Amino acid sequence: MFKKEFSPGAKSKVKSSAQRAIRAKVIETYPLIEPYIDEVLPKKEQLDLVKIPDRVSLYCNGGTPLFWQHMDDPIVPHLQLVHKYPWCFTRVRIDRGGIRFVLSGATLMVPGLTSPGGRLPGGEESEEWANGGKEIEAGDVVVVDAEGKENACLVGVLKMGTKEMKEKKKGPAIENGHYVGDGLWKLDLS
Amino acid sequence: MADTENTPAPATDLKPARKVVYCGVCTLPPEYCEYGGTVKKCQDWLEDHNPTLYAQLYSADAAAQNLSTLSVDAQKRAEKDAQKKAAKASAQEARESEKRATSKIIIKRVERNKRKYVTEISGLEAFGLELKKVAKEFGKKFATGSSVTKTAAGGEEITVQGDVSDDVFDWLTEKYEEIPEENIELVEDKKKKSAA
Ligand SMILES: [Zn+2]
């Protein structure tokens, strides 16, 4: 999605009614975020909307990017927000070998998730990727952690449900996500 | 109302937001620096700014662990990849520094009306300065109008209201030590005067 670097477009203030709608949408998409919503999207603080290329709207609070949305696709957290509150999102993990492909903007492929270093829902219960044994559906937003790393490297919409991934063990898993070091990551909002 | 004071605050088991260190060189979390082309610089930065994390990430143990989970083949590919990236980054850096050495910033004083001047500053982008930001800063610093304008040649420059040539020169040389003074030229546009 953001392979190239770009400059921010026009910035506007989000009206409080729209701000409420965004809060509701965020909670609906990420139920785990609810207890933290006042920290993440404080009611009294002004939310700004910055237009960025390819019809993406970026919501931010001053210089802090929070969420972005491509047209009517799901609203997706910026990775800096994910790094602060990783437990608010559904997560999977890729093996170490897949990291450099993700960081070069390639499509995340299923084998990176199904290999021994990868993690999908239903694994070891105590691990943060277990998701209570519940599979994740195609179209859902997932945060992608990496083997041996503390911070997530990618966030995006699943192309294939995790159940199907386990059966097929191949094919694209996430296209056009937002990864650390991409144009959105490097965007200067100051 | 009086007993509200005694009501315990709602129990919160909220975790505090994680504080993440980001690399001052490549902006990524330092654990991902190895995938950029600036590993060496990143490593130096981390050693200076966060020795604890540096020890964690760059100890011999950590390096061995990193590699042990990759097949020999994948290790080789990753290594080759890293070399390519590093070569690319250093070539880019060389290009940029050469560009810097030969580039000139021109600060031009232009007479608009009698005793009314504007100052046009061009060439800043060659030194990695962002015109929009610098224009804003000039506006604040000199309390005057300042904006990015298109040049006839199709490029962009900064136009500041008033004669601030000397101030701009001082500001640039003080704030950006990497810009050599001899690469900044002060000129005067007198074409309107001579036409009069
Ligand atoms: Zn770095």
Side-chain angles (χ1 to χ4, degrees):
Chain A
M1 191 89 230
F2 308 107
K3 253 181 121 157
K4 289 202 183 118
E5 289 190 29
F6 53 86
S7 307
K11 182 165 152 184
S12 58
K13 290 182 171 167
V14 178
K15 277 195 242 153
S16 59
S17 56
Q19 211 162 318
R20 273 199 299 280
I22 291 161
R23 266 172 82 101
K25 190 91 219 150
V26 166
I27 295 173
E28 186 195 321
T29 317
Y30 308 102
L32 297 171
I33 213 170
E34 193 164 10
Y36 297 89
I37 195 71
D38 284 330
E39 273 180 53
V40 174
L41 289 168
K43 266 190 194 139
K44 291 201 176 129
E45 273 173 50
Q46 178 60 48
L47 195 64
D48 292 321
L49 167 65
V50 177
K51 291 278 179 201
I52 54 181
D54 296 322
R55 300 199 201 181
V56 175
S57 303
L58 174 67
Y59 296 101
C60 49
N61 177 357
T64 311
L66 298 170
F67 292 91
W68 58 275
Q69 186 170 29
H70 171 244
M71 298 170 75
D72 287 327
D73 294 348
I75 190 161
V76 183
H78 189 279
L79 278 165
Q80 280 176 24
L81 182 71
V82 172
H83 291 165
K84 281 187 207 153
Y85 303 97
W87 50 81
C88 290
F89 305 98
T90 311
R91 291 146 76 187
V92 295
R93 190 179 88 173
I94 54 163
D95 60 28
R96 200 185 295 277
I99 302 175
R100 68 190 177 97
F101 296 104
V102 166
L103 266 60
S104 63
T107 294
L108 172 64
M109 302 305 279
V110 170
L113 294 160
T114 52
S115 76
R119 290 290 182 277
L120 287 170
E124 193 67 42
E125 247 176 77
S126 59
E127 287 192 344
E128 46 271 70
W129 307 281
N131 201 34
K134 237 180 81 217
E135 298 289 352
I136 311 167
E137 305 293 329
D140 285 353
V141 178
V142 289
V143 161
V144 180
D145 293 322
E147 181 188 9
K149 309 289 181 201
E150 278 180 23
N151 299 290
C153 59
L154 171 73
V155 58
V157 175
L158 278 193
K159 272 215 86 161
M160 190 191 292
T162 52
K163 187 160 181 281
E164 196 184 341
M165 287 185 194
K166 290 174 192 170
E167 288 157 12
K168 289 196 172 155
K169 294 195 165 61
K170 61 178 182 190
I174 296 179
E175 287 174 351
N176 291 323
H178 157 44
Y179 56 94
V180 284
D182 68 2
L184 179 59
W185 177 268
K186 296 222 160 118
L187 181 65
D188 186 358
L189 289 167
S190 61
Chain B
M1 270 304 172
D3 59 357
T4 43
E5 257 180 14
N6 297 328
T7 320
T12 55
D13 45 5
L14 293 190
K15 294 189 224 180
R18 289 176 68 240
K19 289 206 169 59
V20 183
V21 175
Y22 293 120
C23 173
V25 178
C26 74
T27 75
L28 302 192
E31 56 184 358
Y32 288 107
C33 286
E34 55 176 311
Y35 297 97
T38 53
V39 197
K40 194 79 205 63
K41 270 194 192 164
C42 295
Q43 208 170 331
D44 292 344
W45 179 87
L46 195 64
E47 194 173 12
D48 283 347
H49 291 81
N50 197 324
T52 325
L53 191 53
Y54 173 80
Q56 244 174 57
L57 288 177
Y58 293 103
S59 70
D61 265 10
Q65 212 179 14
N66 264 341
L67 290 175
S68 65
T69 53
L70 287 180
S71 70
V72 179
D73 216 29
Q75 277 181 42
K76 270 193 199 142
R77 266 185 317 221
E79 206 175 298
K80 227 173 153 186
D81 201 51
Q83 275 168 4
K84 240 198 248 161
K85 266 189 186 157
K88 224 169 141 188
S90 62
Q92 165 103 12
E93 210 175 301
R95 261 201 309 279
E96 265 167 24
S97 72
E98 193 185 308
K99 202 168 130 203
R100 254 179 240 140
T102 54
S103 296
K104 271 222 151 75
I105 293 174
I106 312 251
I107 304 174
K108 194 198 263 179
R109 186 169 88 145
V110 184
E111 190 169 10
R112 268 284 141 83
N113 288 312
K114 220 178 200 170
R115 316 198 68 196
K116 280 232 160 83
Y117 297 94
V118 295
T119 309
E120 296 169 352
I121 305 106
S122 55
L124 293 172
E125 64 283 352
F127 293 87
L129 273 66
E130 245 184 89
L131 298 191
K132 245 172 142 177
K133 266 198 198 159
V134 176
K136 221 174 171 180
E137 195 155 349
F138 283 162
K140 264 194 239 156
K141 187 135 184 72
F142 308 131
T144 179
S146 169
S147 58
V148 178
T149 47
K150 293 239 173 347
T151 63
E156 285 185 324
E157 63 185 9
I158 296 177
T159 304
V160 186
Q161 302 302 315
D163 177 13
V164 291
S165 321
D166 293 331
D167 307 274
V168 168
F169 184 91
D170 291 343
W171 182 84
L172 280 173
T173 48
E174 266 162 44
K175 187 156 178 189
Y176 297 94
E177 282 170 5
E178 69 272 25
I179 304 179
E181 278 189 27
E182 53 275 22
N183 287 38
I184 308 177
E185 207 174 308
L186 285 159
V187 299
E188 192 145 358
D189 185 13
K190 284 188 180 161
K191 67 170 186 276
K192 279 180 192 127
K193 230 180 190 172
S194 52

